[in-house]
Amino acid sequence: MYTSATAFLEALVEQRITHAFVNLGSDHPGLVEAIARARAMGNPVPRMITCPNEMVALSMAHGYAQVSGQPQAVIIHVECGTQALAGAVHNVAKGRVPVLIFAGSSPFTQEGEMVGSRNEFIQWIQDVHDQRGLVRGYMRYDNEIRTGANVKQMVHRAMQFAKSDPKGPVYLMMAREVMEAECEPRTIDMDRWQPLEPMSLGPKNARKLVDALATAKRPLIVTSYLGRNSDAVEALAELSTRLGIGVMESVPSYVNLPHDHPMYLGNFWNEPSRNVALAEADLVLVIDSDVPWIPTKNRPAEDARIYHIDVDPLKEQMPLWYIEPHGSFRADAGTALAEMLHALDDTALQDTVVAERAAHYRAMAAERRRALEEREQSGSGLTIERLMAALRQHVDADTILLNEGITNYQPVFDHLAPTKAGSMFASGGGSLGWNGGAALGAKLARPDATVVAVTGDGSYMFTTPSSVHWISRRYNAPFLQIVLNNDGWNAPRHSALAVHPSGYASEAADLDLSFSPAPDYGGIAAASGGATTFVIDAGCDVDAILRQAFEALKQGLSVVVEARLS
């Protein structure tokens, strides 16, 4: 038999999707049969990764795509599984991560009219008016496959959206009867189903931006996710060096510039102070950033000229957004920077101007590094700065680092100080619980790599660690997870005190945010996945415990280190 489900699996293979993160249900008999048939006949199918939790499944696809650049598939169960994807849907959408989400739906016949007709009570309850509508606001494309005649075309059209900028998730659904239906095999010419080519600036705009940067006194580049493309990182490093331009990151989710680059000026998040480099800049070029600054806290000077390059410069899914640029360009960052470097080859530069501002930014970068070193050596107890400095000694440029430190996002980036594109990631979204699944996806994408996830205690609980660590053991995907135990949710505390610094909350002993008494964070992972666990506190030899943790990781065991911050 050749069914619509068979055609769907073939389409995944044609898309070079190697992994499907699955949570199967009563809507999938045709798919389960097609997978078993393909294996029995020696036909290729993606590797099926059983995921007891749907949000973990989508977070795995998220991490896999970030590390490899290749989108994967998530297969879930009707509208229940669709809703159980939870905040991971937000994360892949806001992080511009391509992924195919596929769900079955309740049968549309109930008296045995077709193979797959309703035969379980749940199929009436799980039949809803608009299953796709549950996630439509986050999808680049959604549709229902209604016939086996065009299954492949539907999958390939969806993936054209997923892989074309602005990239993101797509959602397809198919009823049980359609999956079971026989159909004719179709041969697809994949050369005719490719994503759109990256968008360019064009010579005129490239020249305009290079001339503006070359003549400014204090030009500054601000970016957040340019580093999703390693070629763009190399181009940014060259442009900033040749023109003497400082580079700032705002809420980074990738390594956008190596932290040891002389023009790297650091990153800012929610801190309630104005960034010196941003305040003094007379020209700011924003490249690939959703929130380049927070106007109530930190913004460019009123007379600064602002230019903006982005694959989505209008931020079409953000109801409130504007930075009022003097010029805005829809273009791929890597392509745009390559064009600007080409234009720079024909630009007459004032060497003294470039040298002066390069010296200015090198001095700022050196002072920043000195201040970071001081923080690592000062204070008492187990501070986040000292912990990350110790962790830094046990990782190298090829280690994959995942940062979901939340209120500690900035010190994790600062003190781990990644120096290689593609070595450190954040989710790019705002829903907590990404890091556990993402670490598994990263490990499956790069089995040879050491994977380390740094997470707050609150975000650790959101990861569904019982599912994460079961999957880790089942599929031999060990990673090291550092849990920053600061007694609960600190982010809501910061938010409340930022708005009401002298209110009742500032004096209250309990804001309903504490996790005390704390769970046994490592014990959860040990019970569900056999993880090795350690605890670090102010009285420990941090380096010795981290050494033991990495030794256990080398033995093929996942490791959870609970760090009880002072």
Side-chain angles (χ1 to χ4, degrees):
M1 290 181 64
Y2 187 94
T3 64
S4 302
T6 307
F8 174 74
L9 292 172
E10 286 186 359
L12 298 186
V13 172
E14 290 168 354
Q15 281 292 330
R16 299 184 180 177
I17 290 174
T18 58
H19 290 70
F21 304 99
V22 305
N23 190 295
L24 301 172
S26 60
D27 47 336
H28 295 130
L31 186 62
V32 171
E33 176 67 13
I35 293 168
R37 185 187 310 120
R39 288 172 176 163
M41 298 178 66
N43 295 330
V45 292
R47 184 184 183 192
M48 301 292 159
I49 306 295
T50 301
C51 299
N53 177 273
E54 290 89 344
M55 180 166 171
V56 174
L58 186 49
S59 296
M60 289 179 72
H62 187 156
Y64 194 109
Q66 283 183 296
V67 168
S68 70
Q70 297 299 316
Q72 302 301 308
V74 172
I75 299 175
I76 40 89
H77 174 48
V78 294
E79 40 76 63
C80 295
T82 300
Q83 294 185 86
L85 293 169
V89 171
H90 161 97
N91 287 337
V92 290
K94 302 307 178 182
R96 294 175 179 79
V97 175
V99 59
L100 171 64
I101 302 169
F102 175 78
S105 65
S106 282
F108 51 77
T109 59
Q110 69 175 28
E111 297 186 30
E113 301 97 319
M114 302 174 70
V115 177
S117 188
R118 294 184 184 187
N119 62 352
E120 301 177 35
F121 81 92
I122 201 68
Q123 290 157 354
W124 279 265
I125 298 170
Q126 291 173 338
D127 188 9
V128 297
H129 289 294
D130 188 8
Q131 181 174 311
R132 290 153 52 196
L134 295 169
V135 293
R136 182 173 296 124
Y138 297 89
M139 295 297 120
R140 291 280 289 118
Y141 174 84
D142 72 273
N143 210 335
E144 179 179 359
I145 298 171
R146 297 180 176 89
T147 171
N150 62 0
V151 169
K152 289 189 176 183
Q153 292 92 330
M154 297 286 279
V155 170
H156 299 324
R157 172 168 164 75
M159 293 307 293
Q160 281 185 307
F161 278 93
K163 297 192 289 188
S164 298
D165 280 324
K167 298 180 175 69
V170 294
Y171 183 91
L172 292 174
M173 56 182 281
M174 185 169 15
R176 210 162 75 151
E177 294 95 330
V178 178
M179 277 193 248
E180 297 281 359
E182 292 189 56
C183 61
E184 292 296 320
R186 296 290 296 268
T187 299
I188 296 292
D189 180 358
M190 289 304 297
D191 287 341
R192 303 174 69 174
W193 289 93
Q194 295 304 305
L196 301 181
E197 290 293 326
M199 294 169 283
S200 68
L201 277 174
K204 179 181 177 182
N205 290 328
R207 166 58 56 197
K208 175 181 179 179
L209 290 175
V210 166
D211 287 346
L213 290 168
T215 56
K217 179 177 175 59
R218 287 285 179 265
L220 182 72
I221 293 174
V222 178
T223 185
S224 300
Y225 54 87
L226 170 150
R228 64 190 182 136
N229 178 348
S230 61
D231 291 340
V233 177
E234 294 177 10
L236 177 61
E238 182 179 347
L239 183 73
S240 63
T241 298
R242 290 175 64 180
L243 282 173
I245 302 172
V247 177
M248 289 290 310
E249 295 175 305
S250 176
V251 196
S253 49
Y254 293 84
V255 178
N256 300 297
L257 191 70
H259 281 221
D260 59 356
H261 191 281
M263 295 293 104
Y264 179 71
L265 304 179
N267 53 93
F268 49 76
W269 300 72
N270 288 333
E271 56 269 29
S273 59
R274 196 171 186 191
N275 181 272
V276 174
L278 187 63
E280 71 175 17
D282 61 337
L283 186 148
V284 181
L285 174 60
V286 178
I287 309 178
D288 279 0
S289 181
D290 290 335
V291 187
W293 50 77
I294 299 174
T296 56
K297 299 178 179 180
N298 181 30
R299 66 188 307 163
E302 289 295 330
D303 59 350
R305 295 193 65 78
I306 298 170
Y307 295 95
H308 182 207
I309 299 172
D310 204 296
V311 293
D312 178 22
L314 295 177
K315 308 299 177 187
E316 295 173 15
Q317 293 300 309
M318 294 186 187
L320 175 63
W321 190 93
Y322 52 87
I323 59 171
E324 300 181 281
H326 295 87
S328 189
F329 310 92
R330 187 187 294 272
D332 167 73
T335 304
L337 287 167
E339 292 175 292
M340 292 169 67
L341 287 171
H342 181 70
L344 185 57
D345 290 337
D346 300 325
T347 302
L349 299 176
Q350 298 183 40
D351 293 340
T352 56
V353 172
V354 172
E356 186 279 331
R357 63 195 189 194
H360 176 78
Y361 284 130
R362 278 198 300 269
M364 290 184 73
E367 173 58 25
R368 171 183 172 272
R369 289 193 294 271
R370 185 203 62 76
L372 292 177
E373 291 174 4
E374 186 176 287
R375 288 182 205 136
E376 292 172 3
Q377 298 165 8
S378 63
S380 60
L382 183 62
T383 66
I384 184 65
E385 292 84 1
R386 296 170 84 173
L387 176 62
M388 291 299 105
L391 179 60
R392 188 176 67 232
Q393 304 307 312
H394 294 271
V395 302
D396 58 28
D398 292 320
T399 302
I400 297 173
L401 302 165
L402 306 174
N403 181 359
E404 197 170 21
I406 312 307
T407 53
N408 285 306
Y409 269 131
Q410 187 175 32
V412 172
F413 266 107
D414 281 343
H415 296 278
L416 287 180
T419 60
K420 182 178 179 181
S423 65
M424 192 167 186
F425 305 89
S427 74
S431 187
L432 305 189
W434 157 85
N435 75 92
L440 294 174
K443 185 65 177 176
L444 291 175
R446 288 266 311 279
D448 59 324
T450 298
V451 178
V452 178
V454 181
T455 174
D457 49 0
S459 52
Y460 174 79
M461 296 295 281
F462 278 125
T463 65
T464 319
S466 56
S467 285
V468 164
H469 286 280
W470 177 85
I471 295 168
S472 172
R473 178 164 59 178
R474 166 77 180 270
Y475 294 101
N476 190 28
F479 70 102
L480 171 62
Q481 195 166 29
I482 308 286
V483 181
L484 306 176
N485 182 351
N486 53 15
D487 188 30
W489 292 315
N490 263 356
R493 185 190 314 276
H494 286 293
S495 297
L497 298 183
V499 178
H500 302 286
S502 303
Y504 288 99
S506 68
E507 303 292 335
D510 185 3
L511 296 180
D512 308 304
L513 303 172
S514 172
F515 286 178
S516 182
D520 182 353
Y521 296 110
I524 298 169
S528 55
T532 299
T533 70
F534 300 90
V535 174
I536 296 176
D537 58 25
C540 291
D541 184 335
V542 174
D543 187 69
I545 292 178
L546 288 176
R547 193 179 307 115
Q548 294 177 57
F550 277 93
E551 282 299 322
L553 187 62
K554 289 177 183 177
Q555 300 303 315
L557 299 171
S558 273
V559 182
V560 172
V561 176
E562 178 190 345
R564 295 174 180 170
L565 299 178
S566 301

